[in-house]
Amino acid sequence: MDQPRQETSYCPAPAAPAESVVVAGPPYADCLECGEPTEYGVATPGVVLCPVCEWQEAQRTACSG
């Protein structure tokens, strides 16, 4: 008999930050990893990464718990 297939997640989805403050540009902040312009304004607090470096960071930290 065919059983319905259940998708199992091995890693829980990361929780969204409680307070996410994004300041619109221009001027746009430079990425802290590669120096390319980001989509965040200069006044955005915290670590600011370009989309490519954000994706790479997410890959590095996925399931590393």
Side-chain angles (χ1 to χ4, degrees):
M1 296 204 162
D2 290 329
Q3 294 286 331
R5 208 170 172 191
Q6 286 185 316
E7 295 292 325
T8 56
S9 177
Y10 295 99
C11 298
E19 289 186 30
S20 179
V21 178
V22 176
V23 179
Y28 295 104
D30 291 334
C31 176
L32 295 177
E33 293 287 325
C34 67
E36 293 292 320
T38 66
E39 46 193 36
Y40 304 108
V42 173
T44 303
V47 176
V48 180
L49 301 173
C50 69
V52 173
C53 290
E54 279 184 358
W55 182 82
Q56 291 173 346
E57 181 68 20
Q59 291 296 311
R60 282 192 293 270
T61 59
C63 299
S64 65

